[in-house]
Amino acid sequence: MTTLTTLLPAALDASGTTTTGEAILFWVLAPIMVVGALGLLFARKAVHAALGVIVVMISLAFMYVAQDAVFLGIVQVVVYTGAIMMLFLFVLMLVGVDSSDSLTETLAGQRVVGIVAGLGLAVVLAGVIGRATYGAPVGLQDANAETNPVGLAKIVFGQHAFALEIVGALLVTAALGALVLTHRERLTPKRDQRQRADARVAALADGVVLTPLPAPGVYARHNAMDVPALGPDGRPLEASVPRVIRVRGQEADAREYAARIDRVLAGGWAADSEPPPQASEPLSGDEPATAALDAATSQTGQNGPAAAPDQSTEADR
Amino acid sequence: MTPHLAVATADFSQDNFWIVLLKGAAILVFLLTSVILAIWFERKVVGRMQIRPGPNVHGPFGLLQTVADAVKLLIKEDISVRAADKAVYLIAPAISVFAALLTLAVVPFGPAVSIFGHLTPLQLTDFPVAVLYILACTSVGAYGMMLGGWSSGSTYPLLGSVRSTAQVISYELAMGLSLVSVFVLAGSMSTSQIVESQSSFWYAVALPVAFILYVVSMIGEVNRLPFDLPEAEGELVAGYMTEYSSMKFAWFYLAEYINALNVSAVCTTLFLGGWRAPFPLSAINDGMLNTGWWPVLWFLVKVWLLMFFFVWVRGTLLRFRYDQFMNLGWKVLIPVALGWLVLVIAVKALQEFGSVNLRGPLFLIAGAVLLVALAVSFFIPDKKEVAPPEPEPEPFDAFAAGYPVPPLPGQVLPPSPRKLRAMAAAGATSDPKTTPEEEVDRA
């Protein structure tokens, strides 16, 4: 403990009052914790609320360490901050980047039940805490005589061994329940990387492209994703523009860009029309193109259209 | 807990304010300069492994290359993405670096030395749960990656941060379990006591399985090849730091190398005897090399050997596929770590409560197991190259499925028109079944 007292002069002095060091630590951390806790309540984004909780947890760990409960303080960070909040954030991120809370209640009477349950819990807690009796404090020196973790271990695995076993059983049950609920029989044989590669090669004959699709005309002619690259024959390569942009009809008209270059080479001005030229009719007005593209993609499992080169030439003619 | 093994924690009673400050500053300077050196070292060693010189232009042996790179990085334009969540986007790299800088505070660089007349251990601080504190720092550091990826408001960084979360959670389990066997054997979680208890033999020797588990999971923990999935450049551009530039990017980069140094230092402390001199040296002059400032040298040598191991692994192995990586973590490392832990605790309990000295028999058993394994390895027959059955020659379609294709194994190329003419010219005198080689020889 000697080191900690040099770094954080924290323990109570002989008269039982807080030392200056601990008082300073408290008054620095307390406002931060309150702000973090308020952040949990009022933050609009779920991730910000989670960040507020993390701030409170880490500050709380500092407090524990300052009060000579080193093990508790560190385990607070390892378990709660490092694992549980991490899992929370993991789920929040996967659910959606911007999903702010929807305030419509899906369960009828949820609010009433919640209030009743909360009140009940408050009554139970008040009853238990009100009736609790405390033994005479032994003092930190005696409690941490055999170092903090050893003292704690003797209490947890000695006095409270039964409670610990029950909590252990509960956790194992929960883990097993999660395993059972998420278990699924495999209905189809597993396809490994080798088989998928073979299937793609076999589909080569159906016009599937094995190589990566051509990159868009970025850097070659222009600095935007929506400009198709030009093929060796001078025709725009439809497949070079990302599929999403094509499906949305946001593809730029490549011939217009090609014409610009020609104008510049001929000594004229680049800008003929001010706004960047958009394709007048996406994929020559062929609206079910989405379905066609999806079909082409799913058929091979490749992230690109199957018969794209043919389509582009048709669209251009 | 274990009276015969209990050794005193390092004694910090003579530390005063400026000694603590001095040690803290020394750790900071050590980490920052080591990172500069580590980047040069990695590029140089990887270069040699790939038979090219590596950086060799700026300064002697290219040593100033990293300095030049760092300055270039700092004076680049600092781009903030418009879709980013501004506050979190700024905080994330800072979290990474600060958490990375915290770890070495509890790592002992050497025994007690005299600094300006004060006898003090070469270690900023130590307390009964120091190793848990290291785990806490790494798990806070993971928030840097995670929040950085999320706050960028972009797909690849988000995927990178989701991967890093999953990776940290699953590999920290295996790492923690492998550390528990060290705690059990040392009877303490304080770093100075763990080093002290390795005076007779290193835990890398006593707990080989835990050592291997730790080494594997430490590579996973600091996101280096072959486990660098959160920033796999072939899949995610640069993962969680795709949208970062200039100084903010530099902070992530810095944190990554500091973390590599950190886990090397922790591995040295927990498994490789810490600052203790390796065996033949430790016997010289009654342990002279284990006193004074000498141990700093041994510590640094061990840390840099581990750094070399990092680079070696990077230069040798390919990146894991994500499912393989997760399978390794959950289906191999964690079960093995659990089994090993049970074994260690059983042996320890026998020793403690059965009051039998198992050290002699254990060494015998370990030696016997090694010998048997060695003997068995001689009797395992080499995998025989199973020759594929010679397939019947099948007709070859040069335009199968509409494309010009080469003959597959088992298909025979039909004679070329020129060869057909040659065969016709040779007429009935020559054997029509000549192989192409013979034909060429004849021509």
Short mmCIF file of all heavy atoms in Angstrom, two decimals, chain A residues 96-132:
data_model
loop_
_atom_site.label_atom_id
_atom_site.label_comp_id
_atom_site.label_asym_id
_atom_site.label_seq_id
_atom_site.Cartn_x
_atom_site.Cartn_y
_atom_site.Cartn_z
N GLY A 96 -27.34 -0.40 -35.31
CA GLY A 96 -27.41 0.69 -36.26
C GLY A 96 -26.55 1.83 -35.80
O GLY A 96 -26.42 2.08 -34.61
N VAL A 97 -25.97 2.54 -36.77
CA VAL A 97 -25.05 3.60 -36.42
C VAL A 97 -25.80 4.79 -35.83
O VAL A 97 -25.37 5.41 -34.88
CB VAL A 97 -24.25 4.02 -37.66
CG1 VAL A 97 -23.25 5.08 -37.31
CG2 VAL A 97 -23.56 2.83 -38.25
N ASP A 98 -26.95 5.12 -36.39
CA ASP A 98 -27.64 6.34 -36.00
C ASP A 98 -28.96 6.10 -35.30
O ASP A 98 -29.75 7.01 -35.15
CB ASP A 98 -27.93 7.20 -37.22
CG ASP A 98 -26.65 7.70 -37.82
OD1 ASP A 98 -25.74 8.01 -37.05
OD2 ASP A 98 -26.57 7.76 -39.06
N SER A 99 -29.25 4.85 -34.92
CA SER A 99 -30.60 4.60 -34.43
C SER A 99 -30.83 5.31 -33.11
O SER A 99 -30.28 4.94 -32.08
CB SER A 99 -30.81 3.10 -34.25
OG SER A 99 -30.01 2.66 -33.22
N SER A 100 -31.59 6.39 -33.14
CA SER A 100 -31.97 7.03 -31.90
C SER A 100 -33.24 6.35 -31.42
O SER A 100 -33.97 5.73 -32.19
CB SER A 100 -32.18 8.52 -32.10
OG SER A 100 -32.93 8.73 -33.26
N ASP A 101 -33.51 6.49 -30.13
CA ASP A 101 -34.60 5.71 -29.55
C ASP A 101 -35.95 6.08 -30.14
O ASP A 101 -36.26 7.25 -30.31
CB ASP A 101 -34.64 5.95 -28.04
CG ASP A 101 -33.50 5.25 -27.37
OD1 ASP A 101 -32.99 4.29 -27.96
OD2 ASP A 101 -33.13 5.67 -26.27
N SER A 102 -36.73 5.07 -30.41
CA SER A 102 -38.11 5.33 -30.77
C SER A 102 -38.94 5.31 -29.50
O SER A 102 -38.77 4.45 -28.63
CB SER A 102 -38.59 4.24 -31.74
OG SER A 102 -39.92 3.93 -31.48
N LEU A 103 -39.81 6.32 -29.34
CA LEU A 103 -40.51 6.47 -28.07
C LEU A 103 -41.87 5.78 -28.07
O LEU A 103 -42.60 5.84 -27.09
CB LEU A 103 -40.69 7.95 -27.74
CG LEU A 103 -39.35 8.63 -27.39
CD1 LEU A 103 -39.55 10.11 -27.19
CD2 LEU A 103 -38.76 8.01 -26.15
N THR A 104 -42.26 5.16 -29.17
CA THR A 104 -43.54 4.45 -29.17
C THR A 104 -43.41 3.17 -28.35
O THR A 104 -42.44 2.43 -28.49
CB THR A 104 -43.96 4.09 -30.61
OG1 THR A 104 -42.79 3.63 -31.29
CG2 THR A 104 -44.53 5.29 -31.32
N GLU A 105 -44.41 2.92 -27.52
CA GLU A 105 -44.36 1.72 -26.68
C GLU A 105 -45.00 0.56 -27.42
O GLU A 105 -46.11 0.68 -27.93
CB GLU A 105 -45.09 1.98 -25.37
CG GLU A 105 -44.32 2.92 -24.49
CD GLU A 105 -45.02 3.14 -23.17
OE1 GLU A 105 -45.88 2.32 -22.82
OE2 GLU A 105 -44.70 4.14 -22.52
N THR A 106 -44.30 -0.53 -27.46
CA THR A 106 -44.84 -1.68 -28.17
C THR A 106 -45.62 -2.61 -27.24
O THR A 106 -46.51 -3.32 -27.69
CB THR A 106 -43.71 -2.47 -28.83
OG1 THR A 106 -42.67 -2.62 -27.87
CG2 THR A 106 -43.16 -1.74 -30.04
N LEU A 107 -45.30 -2.60 -25.98
CA LEU A 107 -46.01 -3.47 -25.03
C LEU A 107 -47.08 -2.65 -24.32
O LEU A 107 -46.77 -1.59 -23.76
CB LEU A 107 -45.05 -4.05 -23.99
CG LEU A 107 -43.93 -4.92 -24.54
CD1 LEU A 107 -42.98 -5.29 -23.43
CD2 LEU A 107 -44.52 -6.16 -25.18
N ALA A 108 -48.30 -3.13 -24.31
CA ALA A 108 -49.38 -2.39 -23.66
C ALA A 108 -49.19 -2.43 -22.14
O ALA A 108 -48.84 -3.47 -21.58
CB ALA A 108 -50.72 -2.99 -24.04
N GLY A 109 -49.39 -1.30 -21.51
CA GLY A 109 -49.31 -1.25 -20.05
C GLY A 109 -47.91 -1.41 -19.51
O GLY A 109 -47.72 -1.64 -18.32
N GLN A 110 -46.92 -1.27 -20.40
CA GLN A 110 -45.53 -1.48 -19.99
C GLN A 110 -45.11 -0.49 -18.91
O GLN A 110 -44.46 -0.85 -17.93
CB GLN A 110 -44.66 -1.29 -21.24
CG GLN A 110 -43.20 -1.52 -21.02
CD GLN A 110 -42.41 -1.11 -22.24
OE1 GLN A 110 -42.92 -0.46 -23.13
NE2 GLN A 110 -41.16 -1.50 -22.28
N ARG A 111 -45.57 0.77 -19.10
CA ARG A 111 -45.14 1.83 -18.19
C ARG A 111 -45.67 1.55 -16.78
O ARG A 111 -44.94 1.66 -15.79
CB ARG A 111 -45.66 3.16 -18.72
CG ARG A 111 -45.00 4.33 -18.08
CD ARG A 111 -45.29 5.59 -18.82
NE ARG A 111 -44.61 5.65 -20.12
CZ ARG A 111 -44.40 6.78 -20.79
NH1 ARG A 111 -44.83 7.91 -20.27
NH2 ARG A 111 -43.79 6.78 -21.94
N VAL A 112 -46.96 1.17 -16.69
CA VAL A 112 -47.57 0.92 -15.38
C VAL A 112 -46.84 -0.21 -14.66
O VAL A 112 -46.44 -0.09 -13.50
CB VAL A 112 -49.07 0.57 -15.56
CG1 VAL A 112 -49.70 0.33 -14.19
CG2 VAL A 112 -49.78 1.68 -16.30
N VAL A 113 -46.64 -1.31 -15.42
CA VAL A 113 -45.96 -2.46 -14.82
C VAL A 113 -44.57 -2.07 -14.36
O VAL A 113 -44.11 -2.43 -13.26
CB VAL A 113 -45.89 -3.63 -15.85
CG1 VAL A 113 -45.06 -4.76 -15.29
CG2 VAL A 113 -47.28 -4.11 -16.18
N GLY A 114 -43.89 -1.26 -15.18
CA GLY A 114 -42.54 -0.84 -14.84
C GLY A 114 -42.52 -0.04 -13.55
O GLY A 114 -41.69 -0.28 -12.67
N ILE A 115 -43.48 0.90 -13.44
CA ILE A 115 -43.51 1.74 -12.23
C ILE A 115 -43.79 0.88 -11.00
O ILE A 115 -43.13 1.01 -9.96
CB ILE A 115 -44.57 2.84 -12.39
CG1 ILE A 115 -44.09 3.86 -13.43
CG2 ILE A 115 -44.85 3.53 -11.06
CD1 ILE A 115 -45.11 4.90 -13.78
N VAL A 116 -44.77 -0.04 -11.12
CA VAL A 116 -45.11 -0.90 -9.98
C VAL A 116 -43.91 -1.74 -9.57
O VAL A 116 -43.56 -1.81 -8.38
CB VAL A 116 -46.32 -1.81 -10.35
CG1 VAL A 116 -46.51 -2.87 -9.27
CG2 VAL A 116 -47.57 -0.99 -10.49
N ALA A 117 -43.23 -2.33 -10.58
CA ALA A 117 -42.08 -3.18 -10.26
C ALA A 117 -40.98 -2.36 -9.61
O ALA A 117 -40.35 -2.79 -8.63
CB ALA A 117 -41.56 -3.85 -11.53
N GLY A 118 -40.76 -1.15 -10.12
CA GLY A 118 -39.74 -0.29 -9.55
C GLY A 118 -40.04 0.06 -8.11
O GLY A 118 -39.16 -0.01 -7.24
N LEU A 119 -41.31 0.41 -7.84
CA LEU A 119 -41.70 0.73 -6.47
C LEU A 119 -41.49 -0.47 -5.55
O LEU A 119 -40.99 -0.33 -4.43
CB LEU A 119 -43.16 1.18 -6.42
CG LEU A 119 -43.38 2.65 -6.88
CD1 LEU A 119 -44.87 2.98 -6.86
CD2 LEU A 119 -42.62 3.59 -5.97
N GLY A 120 -41.90 -1.65 -6.06
CA GLY A 120 -41.73 -2.86 -5.26
C GLY A 120 -40.28 -3.09 -4.90
O GLY A 120 -39.94 -3.35 -3.74
N LEU A 121 -39.40 -2.93 -5.90
CA LEU A 121 -37.97 -3.12 -5.63
C LEU A 121 -37.47 -2.12 -4.60
O LEU A 121 -36.72 -2.47 -3.68
CB LEU A 121 -37.19 -2.95 -6.95
CG LEU A 121 -35.68 -3.17 -6.83
CD1 LEU A 121 -35.40 -4.62 -6.50
CD2 LEU A 121 -34.98 -2.78 -8.11
N ALA A 122 -37.94 -0.86 -4.74
CA ALA A 122 -37.52 0.17 -3.79
C ALA A 122 -37.95 -0.21 -2.37
O ALA A 122 -37.17 -0.07 -1.42
CB ALA A 122 -38.12 1.52 -4.18
N VAL A 123 -39.19 -0.72 -2.23
CA VAL A 123 -39.68 -1.10 -0.90
C VAL A 123 -38.83 -2.23 -0.32
O VAL A 123 -38.39 -2.17 0.83
CB VAL A 123 -41.17 -1.52 -0.98
CG1 VAL A 123 -41.60 -2.20 0.32
CG2 VAL A 123 -42.04 -0.32 -1.27
N VAL A 124 -38.58 -3.25 -1.16
CA VAL A 124 -37.77 -4.38 -0.69
C VAL A 124 -36.39 -3.91 -0.24
O VAL A 124 -35.91 -4.24 0.84
CB VAL A 124 -37.66 -5.45 -1.80
CG1 VAL A 124 -36.61 -6.48 -1.42
CG2 VAL A 124 -38.99 -6.11 -2.03
N LEU A 125 -35.76 -3.10 -1.10
CA LEU A 125 -34.41 -2.63 -0.77
C LEU A 125 -34.42 -1.81 0.51
O LEU A 125 -33.56 -1.99 1.37
CB LEU A 125 -33.85 -1.79 -1.92
CG LEU A 125 -33.33 -2.57 -3.13
CD1 LEU A 125 -32.79 -1.61 -4.17
CD2 LEU A 125 -32.25 -3.54 -2.71
N ALA A 126 -35.42 -0.92 0.62
CA ALA A 126 -35.49 -0.08 1.81
C ALA A 126 -35.65 -0.95 3.05
O ALA A 126 -34.99 -0.74 4.08
CB ALA A 126 -36.64 0.91 1.69
N GLY A 127 -36.52 -1.99 2.93
CA GLY A 127 -36.72 -2.87 4.07
C GLY A 127 -35.44 -3.58 4.46
O GLY A 127 -35.05 -3.60 5.63
N VAL A 128 -34.74 -4.13 3.45
CA VAL A 128 -33.53 -4.90 3.75
C VAL A 128 -32.46 -4.00 4.33
O VAL A 128 -31.84 -4.30 5.36
CB VAL A 128 -33.02 -5.59 2.47
CG1 VAL A 128 -31.64 -6.16 2.70
CG2 VAL A 128 -33.98 -6.68 2.06
N ILE A 129 -32.26 -2.84 3.67
CA ILE A 129 -31.16 -1.97 4.13
C ILE A 129 -31.50 -1.37 5.48
O ILE A 129 -30.64 -1.24 6.35
CB ILE A 129 -30.89 -0.87 3.07
CG1 ILE A 129 -30.36 -1.53 1.80
CG2 ILE A 129 -29.90 0.15 3.59
CD1 ILE A 129 -30.20 -0.58 0.66
N GLY A 130 -32.79 -1.06 5.70
CA GLY A 130 -33.18 -0.47 6.97
C GLY A 130 -32.96 -1.42 8.13
O GLY A 130 -32.61 -1.01 9.24
N ARG A 131 -33.14 -2.72 7.87
CA ARG A 131 -33.01 -3.68 8.97
C ARG A 131 -31.59 -4.21 9.13
O ARG A 131 -31.31 -4.97 10.06
CB ARG A 131 -33.95 -4.87 8.72
CG ARG A 131 -35.42 -4.53 8.85
CD ARG A 131 -36.25 -5.63 8.21
NE ARG A 131 -35.94 -6.94 8.76
CZ ARG A 131 -36.59 -7.47 9.80
NH1 ARG A 131 -37.56 -6.81 10.38
NH2 ARG A 131 -36.27 -8.67 10.25
N ALA A 132 -30.73 -3.84 8.18
CA ALA A 132 -29.38 -4.39 8.23
C ALA A 132 -28.63 -3.87 9.44
O ALA A 132 -28.79 -2.72 9.84
CB ALA A 132 -28.60 -4.04 6.96
#
